[in-house]
mmCIF file of all heavy atoms in Angstrom:
data_model
loop_
_atom_site.group_PDB
_atom_site.id
_atom_site.type_symbol
_atom_site.label_atom_id
_atom_site.label_comp_id
_atom_site.label_asym_id
_atom_site.label_seq_id
_atom_site.Cartn_x
_atom_site.Cartn_y
_atom_site.Cartn_z
ATOM 1 N N CYS A 332 -10.749 -5.396 9.969
ATOM 2 C CA CYS A 332 -10.415 -6.416 8.977
ATOM 3 C C CYS A 332 -11.449 -6.512 7.848
ATOM 4 O O CYS A 332 -12.576 -6.970 8.071
ATOM 5 C CB CYS A 332 -10.305 -7.765 9.701
ATOM 6 S SG CYS A 332 -10.053 -9.147 8.577
ATOM 7 N N PRO A 333 -11.069 -6.122 6.635
ATOM 8 C CA PRO A 333 -12.006 -6.243 5.513
ATOM 9 C C PRO A 333 -12.490 -7.677 5.286
ATOM 10 O O PRO A 333 -13.654 -7.895 4.939
ATOM 11 C CB PRO A 333 -11.182 -5.756 4.317
ATOM 12 C CG PRO A 333 -10.115 -4.901 4.892
ATOM 13 C CD PRO A 333 -9.810 -5.473 6.242
ATOM 14 N N TYR A 343 -11.436 -16.249 8.304
ATOM 15 C CA TYR A 343 -10.998 -15.153 7.435
ATOM 16 C C TYR A 343 -10.197 -14.090 8.185
ATOM 17 O O TYR A 343 -9.499 -13.291 7.577
ATOM 18 C CB TYR A 343 -12.212 -14.495 6.758
ATOM 19 C CG TYR A 343 -12.871 -15.412 5.751
ATOM 20 C CD1 TYR A 343 -13.900 -16.275 6.123
ATOM 21 C CD2 TYR A 343 -12.444 -15.425 4.432
ATOM 22 C CE1 TYR A 343 -14.495 -17.129 5.210
ATOM 23 C CE2 TYR A 343 -13.029 -16.273 3.506
ATOM 24 C CZ TYR A 343 -14.048 -17.128 3.898
ATOM 25 O OH TYR A 343 -14.613 -17.978 2.986
ATOM 26 N N SER A 344 -10.293 -14.060 9.518
ATOM 27 C CA SER A 344 -9.586 -13.026 10.300
ATOM 28 C C SER A 344 -8.094 -13.332 10.358
ATOM 29 O O SER A 344 -7.648 -14.429 9.985
ATOM 30 C CB SER A 344 -10.147 -12.992 11.725
ATOM 31 O OG SER A 344 -9.778 -14.182 12.407
ATOM 32 N N GLY A 345 -7.317 -12.380 10.866
ATOM 33 C CA GLY A 345 -5.884 -12.623 11.039
ATOM 34 C C GLY A 345 -5.649 -13.840 11.931
ATOM 35 O O GLY A 345 -4.890 -14.754 11.580
ATOM 36 N N CYS A 373 -7.892 -11.804 1.553
ATOM 37 C CA CYS A 373 -7.227 -10.959 2.549
ATOM 38 C C CYS A 373 -6.450 -9.909 1.769
ATOM 39 O O CYS A 373 -5.721 -10.249 0.842
ATOM 40 C CB CYS A 373 -6.269 -11.828 3.369
ATOM 41 S SG CYS A 373 -5.025 -10.913 4.286
ATOM 42 N N THR A 374 -6.631 -8.656 2.117
ATOM 43 C CA THR A 374 -5.963 -7.587 1.369
ATOM 44 C C THR A 374 -4.529 -7.354 1.841
ATOM 45 O O THR A 374 -3.853 -6.451 1.333
ATOM 46 C CB THR A 374 -6.743 -6.265 1.492
ATOM 47 O OG1 THR A 374 -6.803 -5.911 2.871
ATOM 48 C CG2 THR A 374 -8.155 -6.385 0.931
ATOM 49 N N GLU A 375 -4.097 -8.137 2.821
ATOM 50 C CA GLU A 375 -2.770 -7.950 3.432
ATOM 51 C C GLU A 375 -2.591 -6.492 3.855
ATOM 52 O O GLU A 375 -1.524 -5.901 3.693
ATOM 53 C CB GLU A 375 -1.654 -8.425 2.489
ATOM 54 C CG GLU A 375 -1.713 -9.928 2.279
ATOM 55 C CD GLU A 375 -0.465 -10.526 1.674
ATOM 56 O OE1 GLU A 375 0.303 -9.799 1.021
ATOM 57 O OE2 GLU A 375 -0.250 -11.750 1.854
ATOM 58 N N CYS A 376 -3.668 -5.961 4.408
ATOM 59 C CA CYS A 376 -3.630 -4.556 4.832
ATOM 60 C C CYS A 376 -2.813 -4.367 6.097
ATOM 61 O O CYS A 376 -2.377 -3.255 6.404
ATOM 62 C CB CYS A 376 -5.046 -4.040 5.041
ATOM 63 S SG CYS A 376 -5.907 -4.768 6.463
ATOM 64 N N GLY A 377 -2.666 -5.430 6.878
ATOM 65 C CA GLY A 377 -1.820 -5.354 8.073
ATOM 66 C C GLY A 377 -2.498 -4.746 9.295
ATOM 67 O O GLY A 377 -1.864 -4.574 10.333
ATOM 68 N N CYS A 379 -4.653 -6.121 11.230
ATOM 69 C CA CYS A 379 -4.677 -7.132 12.297
ATOM 70 C C CYS A 379 -3.351 -7.143 13.061
ATOM 71 O O CYS A 379 -3.317 -7.370 14.277
ATOM 72 C CB CYS A 379 -4.972 -8.519 11.714
ATOM 73 S SG CYS A 379 -3.910 -8.981 10.323
ATOM 74 N N ILE A 395 0.593 -14.563 7.394
ATOM 75 C CA ILE A 395 -0.257 -14.758 6.196
ATOM 76 C C ILE A 395 0.619 -14.802 4.937
ATOM 77 O O ILE A 395 0.413 -15.641 4.047
ATOM 78 C CB ILE A 395 -1.327 -13.637 6.099
ATOM 79 C CG1 ILE A 395 -2.324 -13.767 7.255
ATOM 80 C CG2 ILE A 395 -2.054 -13.691 4.751
ATOM 81 C CD1 ILE A 395 -3.199 -12.540 7.493
HETATM 82 S S1 SF4 B 114 -4.250 -8.352 6.672
HETATM 83 FE FE1 SF4 B 114 -6.134 -7.094 6.710
HETATM 84 S S2 SF4 B 114 -7.660 -8.293 5.540
HETATM 85 FE FE2 SF4 B 114 -5.966 -9.700 6.036
HETATM 86 S S3 SF4 B 114 -6.613 -10.716 7.921
HETATM 87 FE FE3 SF4 B 114 -5.356 -8.926 8.521
HETATM 88 S S4 SF4 B 114 -6.819 -7.244 8.842
HETATM 89 FE FE4 SF4 B 114 -7.885 -8.886 7.712
#
Side-chain angles (χ1 to χ4, degrees):
C332 174
Y343 292 90
S344 69
C373 163
T374 60
E375 294 195 338
C376 69
C379 51
I395 293 165

